Amino acid sequence: MNHSKRGWRALLAPASKGLLAATLVMGSLLLPVGYSHADSNLTIRVALFADIGSKYKSTVPVISLQSNQEWSLISKEGSQLVSIPVKSVARFSYDSFRVKVLETPLWKEAADAAKKLQSTSDKPLLFAASKNGGNLYQLYTGMYASENAAKDAATRVGKSGITIPAGQIPTVKGSKHLSAGIYTTQQEADSVVGSIAAVGFDAWSVIVPAVEGVKYEVWIGEAANDSELSALQALVSQSLPQLTLTPSTATSGGLILRTDAGQDWTNEGQAPHYMITGYGTKFIAVGNDAGIQLTERSKRTYRGNFELSGLNGSLAVINEVPLEKYLYAVVGGEVSSGWAFEALKTQAVAARSYARFQGNRFDVANVVDTTLSQVYNGIGAEAPVITRAVDATAGEVLMSGGKIVEAVFSSNSGGFTADPSEVWGNGGTMFGSVASPTDISAIATSKNWYNVMLPNGTVGYAREDNVKLTGTNTSAGLEILTALTQGVNIRPLPIIQSEVSPVGKLNPGENAVVLDKVIESGSYSWIKGPYTSAELLKSLQGVTSSTLPSSLISLQVTQRGPSGRAVQVKANGEILKMKYPDLFRSGLNGLPSTLFDIVPSASYTVLGADGATGTVTSSQSAGVLSASGKVTVNGSGTVIMGGDSTARVINSNPGFLFIGRGYGHGLGMSQWGVKGMADSGYDYKQILQHYYRNVTIVKE
């Protein structure tokens, strides 16, 4: 494969349907009902928030749930515990280590402190409570997985600059409580809580699931360790000798009933807050036809149920939903509902196969809701046409050797899908590098950009609809253009980035030299950088096992796999050792794919008449033999023209430019390639047959 710029562009020409058909591998077959392996009644567990160690970590201290229909909270045994009215907010957290920052009768004082803490790593929780015969607002931060982590947080909070009432200091609290008895009704428990709070102790009613129905307990205090709990028990016994006190055990599961005193701290508002306590305790928020909204997940609404529990000291939120309904949202999150129906069906079968393959990959869940598994954005990602596509393929999965295939896919393979050796080093017989010329469908509406050099030597990109060619050329044959309107932005890369300032402006009557013409950076083709040595070395830390140099002088792709993806890169002549090749994406500052060339921004290579090559840096000059004799040119600012009549300017700032194609790992199915094939008339079985080898489609 030619990796020159000319080679990159050669793939832009779309293949005919006949040519693509020639690449299809026979062997994919839709089997009848008798061969079923799929179960349409399956449910899937999706981790939204959980700390699953090295496998996945996404946590929040508290979540807010609400629905347009009434919903219930039940125990894992099925007993109904709480009924939540229509559009009412219910808040949940896990009873772990936390820092009690302050308590005050003034809501504004507590709210102002909460606002300041919100921008820190120590997230605030504000509760309303009664104590010593009056109403108080109690501000906490947390939750934290360990007592030491909470102690560190208490130190940080104490230095945060918030106003804390005299005589108070941030104090570590925990999940050790004293039980003051069991009661039949919440009213009885609340009455006891009131008497305890009246003499100055924190106390709460607790819903505790029972074998049949529920019971209520009264818990006192929130000690961080056994020593504190013993000291608390002595104090409470002295003040309230009539109470029989016993420590709650680590397995004591329940819902501590607290009251939130506002969520944005702009206006006071109260909401019920259920603090989940106990190891292994699980509660279920039972879904309904309207779905349940999870505020902390971008206010998305989800089908199915939410399982709420504690895991590794943090709140775990697992969405349990019927597999087919999960796919309504996954297909809508992965591709556009405006794509051809056959493309949507293709995505549905691939997504179903991928999900079925996972098993309990994440211990407490089958999948997560990010691209680590599949994008899952809830009901908002659904569309009627996607629902029809999922239903039209209900139960269908890809199988090979009697097993469901992990039908991995990526956004765009850049013209060729990856070989397993180029990604993770494994993949079985189902995957191999195949041509995917219809990936070009991703640029159907993309603009071209001119790489230009302004009169002051600044180099950047101008979009084609903002400029026009003058019809004149430089003495070297490079075209000249001018602006169509006043103040045309010259961008550092061929894409509009609102957060990145333009490198210059071009006005009508002012000319710029055209160095090259490229497609707008996107999922099919892209340009990244130039990245400095320092940026790349920082990105490589922890990704490569190689000893890194103090500075990158050279960076070269020295070995490519079957599809042309980089499988070996040398820095200063030494191999960068990677566990697997796909790590080059993250190691080289987050590249979209590993199908790339590296261009040094401050040097160029000269091929001599004798076949020898030499490198000239921006700080060097070079002798050039021209028609008028031998002349010397400086490195920095020199315009270098390649054999394909494109040019670039040597920069005085050393760095490395990455020019590539594709978006994602590239293994398996290319989503944009699927779109292109469907637009060309292929059905979903033919498309799946093209991207996955030696597979059958099994339908329930």
Side-chain angles (χ1 to χ4, degrees), residues 645-669:
S645 297
T646 62
R648 67 184 180 95
V649 176
I650 303 304
N651 196 310
S652 60
N653 299 316
F656 300 92
L657 197 69
F658 294 83
I659 302 173
R661 295 200 317 273
Y663 195 97
H665 51 69
L667 190 65
M669 188 178 78

Side-chain angles (χ1 to χ4, degrees), residues 438-567:
T438 51
D439 286 334
I440 198 173
S441 62
I443 62 171
T445 60
S446 298
K447 299 289 185 182
N448 288 315
W449 290 66
Y450 290 102
N451 185 204
V452 300
M453 182 173 67
L454 300 179
N456 64 2
T458 298
V459 177
Y461 293 86
R463 204 170 70 181
E464 62 179 348
D465 54 347
N466 294 323
V467 295
K468 66 176 181 178
L469 297 174
T470 63
T472 58
N473 299 74
T474 67
S475 57
L478 297 176
E479 293 181 296
I480 296 174
L481 57 70
T482 189
L484 287 172
T485 59
Q486 195 74 18
V488 171
N489 288 322
I490 306 301
R491 302 282 181 180
L493 293 174
I495 187 172
I496 296 175
Q497 299 169 293
S498 57
E499 73 281 6
V500 179
S501 299
V503 296
K505 301 278 187 180
L506 188 66
N507 298 311
E510 298 174 349
N511 294 337
V513 176
V514 177
L515 304 172
D516 198 2
K517 188 177 183 180
V518 299
I519 294 292
E520 183 169 276
S521 282
S523 65
Y524 180 75
S525 61
W526 45 267
I527 299 174
K528 298 290 183 181
Y531 298 131
T532 65
S533 169
E535 288 173 322
L536 291 172
L537 288 172
K538 181 179 179 181
S539 181
L540 284 164
Q541 288 284 352
V543 180
T544 177
S545 59
S546 299
T547 300
L548 295 172
S550 58
S551 178
L552 291 178
I553 306 303
S554 66
L555 195 65
Q556 299 172 307
V557 177
T558 49
Q559 188 175 326
R560 297 183 185 275
S563 76
R565 285 168 168 78
V567 296

Side-chain angles (χ1 to χ4, degrees), residues 63-103:
I63 63 165
S64 311
L65 301 180
Q66 62 179 313
S67 176
N68 287 331
Q69 292 183 13
E70 183 179 358
W71 56 281
S72 297
L73 189 72
I74 66 173
S75 66
K76 62 181 179 181
E77 294 81 14
S79 298
Q80 180 165 323
L81 308 178
V82 179
S83 180
I84 311 297
V86 174
K87 296 185 178 180
S88 294
V89 175
R91 305 258 284 168
F92 296 86
S93 62
Y94 181 63
D95 185 21
S96 187
F97 294 98
R98 48 200 178 268
V99 174
K100 188 173 185 180
V101 181
L102 60 84
E103 58 182 25

Side-chain angles (χ1 to χ4, degrees), residues 328-347:
Y328 294 166
V330 165
V331 175
E334 287 286 352
V335 298
S336 169
S337 61
W339 284 13
F341 194 59
E342 293 301 308
L344 301 180
K345 289 162 67 178
T346 304
Q347 182 66 55

